[in-house]
Structure formats: structure tokens, C-alpha cells
Amino acid sequence: MKQELRVAAYAVCVQDGQILLARWVARDGTKRWTLPGGGMEHGEDPRDTVVREVEEETGHTAEITALLGLDSVRRRYPRALGLSADFQGLRIVYEGRITGGTLRPETGGSTDLAAWHPLGAVAGLDRVELVDVALRLWRERPSVGHVVGEGDGHRAGRGEGPAVGTGPAPATGR
């Protein structure tokens, strides 16, 4: 079984009672709302990663104001030639403040839309579980950067992360 580790950084940007989200498009075409963010490039600082990803996915420039915490997920999925992969995603969650730019969708990436959503409406959105984890981190601000009952490494999530199928996992999967 091939082991895969993906480290990614995401931003919780809340302004005037609304949260900035990007709509992630899975390999199978399923669309779910997620936080702006994504995978770290080799040698890149995670703060630089999240600032870059917010701009790429939403058109906004952001300033990081706090480290909210970490979240880890683990999934197994089939690969080509009857093999399987043991995937772990380590997600670094920051609080961000929008400092400029103009809201626009990403072009040629893993998301197809960016939008501000009222915090009270998030529960009704088709979203990845990272949104819920990150909002708990943002609201509760746990001293250990981990919310109770989350991040045990074995959550099934809401279909996010590498798509179940053959071939390599997408580099920008949520």
C-alpha cells in the first residue's frame, strides 16, 4: 500500500458576518464549498501557501492574523493496477483578513467559484467537513489548536480529499 502525505494551508476569512468560501470541483464533477487554500509546494512556508491560495482561488489578497490550529484526516482509496493508497492530509488552518483584490473565480484550478456566505447559512451549504472543523477552531480558539472530537486521523469526511478511483490523487484535492 502506497503512503501519501499532503500538507495544505487554509484561511478562515470572516468579514461583516460572512465567510469567504471557494467551490471545489471533485474529479467526478461533484461541487462542494471549501475554505480557500491548498497544498504546500516543496520549500514553501505555509503562511505563503495560504496567502497564495487565497489570491489564486478568490482574487482577494489576504493577511494572516492568527494560527487557528491543525486538522488531520486519513483515508484509504484504490489506485491503478489493483493497488491502494493510504492517504493522510495535514491541514493548517489560519485566520485571515482580506486586504484587497476583487472577488473572482479561479481559472484552470481545482475551484470554479468564490463567494461570501452569511455565517448562519453555512450549515445549509453542500460543503466539505473542513469548513465545519475550521469554523469550530475559529469560534472556540482552543489553546492546543485542536477541537475535541475532531482530527483523530480516521474521519471519513464528506467525500473530500483524493477522489476514489484510479490514478494518482489530485494535487489540489480538498
Side-chain angles (χ1 to χ4, degrees):
M1 180 174 298
K2 181 176 172 148
Q3 294 178 339
E4 297 176 1
L5 174 65
R6 180 175 185 267
V7 180
Y10 297 90
V12 176
C13 299
V14 175
Q15 182 175 298
D16 300 324
Q18 297 188 76
I19 186 169
L20 180 62
L21 298 175
R23 193 169 64 182
W24 174 62
V25 181
R27 259 201 227 166
D28 66 1
T30 303
K31 297 178 181 183
R32 293 184 184 91
W33 291 100
T34 189
L35 297 174
M40 277 178 49
E41 295 176 3
H42 181 77
E44 187 176 35
D45 185 278
R47 289 173 47 102
D48 295 334
T49 298
V50 73
V51 168
R52 172 180 55 78
E53 289 282 348
V54 168
E55 195 282 324
E56 286 177 5
E57 293 182 353
T58 73
H60 284 303
T61 54
E63 168 186 60
I64 300 308
T65 58
L67 172 63
L68 296 175
L70 302 173
D71 182 57
S72 179
V73 293
R74 189 170 177 189
R75 298 183 179 88
R76 288 193 169 85
Y77 63 95
R79 297 281 305 238
L81 306 174
L83 302 174
S84 62
D86 180 357
F87 171 85
Q88 180 181 6
L90 176 63
R91 288 117 45 121
I92 304 165
V93 182
Y94 291 99
E95 179 179 50
R97 183 175 68 82
I98 299 304
T99 58
T102 303
L103 185 67
R104 56 135 180 88
E106 181 177 29
T107 304
S110 61
T111 64
D112 71 346
L113 188 60
W116 289 93
H117 296 273
L119 284 169
V122 171
L125 297 174
D126 190 7
R127 65 199 181 284
V128 300
E129 51 88 20
L130 174 62
V131 173
D132 298 330
V133 171
L135 279 173
R136 283 191 63 197
L137 287 167
W138 179 74
R139 287 182 178 116
E140 297 174 17
R141 309 246 175 195
S143 62
V144 295
H146 180 78
V147 287
V148 176
E150 301 290 347
D152 63 8
H154 301 285
R155 281 180 287 124
R158 292 175 48 96
E160 61 188 290
V164 175
T166 59
T172 56
R174 301 288 153 181

